[in-house]
Amino acid sequence: GLQGGVLAAFLRANFPTAEADIATAFVVRSEALCRTKSALAMVLPQNWTFLATYRAFREDLLRSHHLALAARLGPGAFSSISGEVVRPVLVLFHRGTRAKASIMLQPAAPATGTTLLEAEQVEVSQEQFLQRPDKAITFSSLPRGAALKLACDVFEGTKPGQTTRGGSEEHT
């Protein structure tokens, strides 16, 4: 990243595998606060999944956590940010648990109106990422599968206003 000298030194000293970007340092700090057998979901810039600068960060994360889900949200995911400026990815990591596969989602272009529930899902072994020399987490060159909505039912939280934050109210 383009951090100032003080921030860059702090990240280098406290988050050596994630020093390239404050967003990846935030991931390391957040996962350190998670208990064993917990989950961490975040929306992050997609660049950490493939750039060489983040190789050590990816390897550390893939060895210590299970990548349960990665969903490329793509440009246009946030209406307040126009153009190709941000390419966000939604990730869900489990700490202390391992599953046989990760689910990778790549919805079609936002202009098509395709949602994550309609996106093609790809199941991939996390070991495939670790076996790559660059440890890249990619969405291309993987076999394609059925849409996520065919594998699960979602009843709440798929539209704004369906759930409350921090409350325990029930919604119908």
Side-chain angles (χ1 to χ4, degrees):
L2 300 173
Q3 296 90 358
V6 173
L7 180 56
F10 178 82
L11 295 178
R12 198 170 24 261
N14 294 285
F15 304 100
T17 63
E19 70 177 297
D21 191 325
I22 196 165
T24 51
F26 186 71
V27 172
V28 172
R29 178 67 179 131
S30 297
E31 65 91 13
L33 297 171
C34 291
R35 295 180 182 181
T36 301
K37 296 187 179 179
S38 63
L40 175 65
M42 301 183 105
V43 175
L44 300 164
Q46 183 181 325
N47 60 349
W48 70 270
T49 63
F50 59 88
L51 291 179
T53 310
Y54 301 93
R55 183 192 181 283
F57 169 73
R58 284 192 300 272
E59 184 171 10
D60 186 52
L61 203 56
L62 289 169
R63 291 197 187 284
S64 62
H65 292 73
H66 168 63
L67 175 61
L69 172 78
R72 183 184 286 170
L73 303 179
F78 299 100
S79 59
S80 61
I81 302 172
S82 62
E84 303 281 323
V85 176
V86 176
R87 293 177 177 263
V89 61
L90 168 69
V91 291
L92 173 64
F93 286 99
H94 286 215
R95 183 177 189 175
T97 59
R98 282 271 194 222
K100 64 179 183 176
S102 301
I103 296 176
M104 310 299 286
L105 299 175
Q106 183 170 346
T112 65
T114 302
T115 66
L116 285 179
L117 290 175
E118 298 164 327
E120 274 188 302
Q121 85 176 12
V122 176
E123 287 190 20
V124 60
S125 165
Q126 188 163 319
E127 290 302 314
Q128 284 179 299
F129 300 135
L130 285 167
Q131 289 171 2
R132 295 177 178 170
D134 60 0
K135 313 300 184 225
I137 299 170
T138 61
F139 295 82
S140 59
S141 302
L142 296 172
R144 300 289 177 213
L148 182 60
K149 71 179 181 180
L150 300 177
C152 68
D153 293 319
V154 178
F155 301 104
E156 285 191 44
T158 58
K159 294 186 175 103
Q162 285 187 324
T163 58
T164 59
R165 296 182 188 264
S168 59
E169 296 178 25
E170 301 239 356
H171 296 275
T172 57

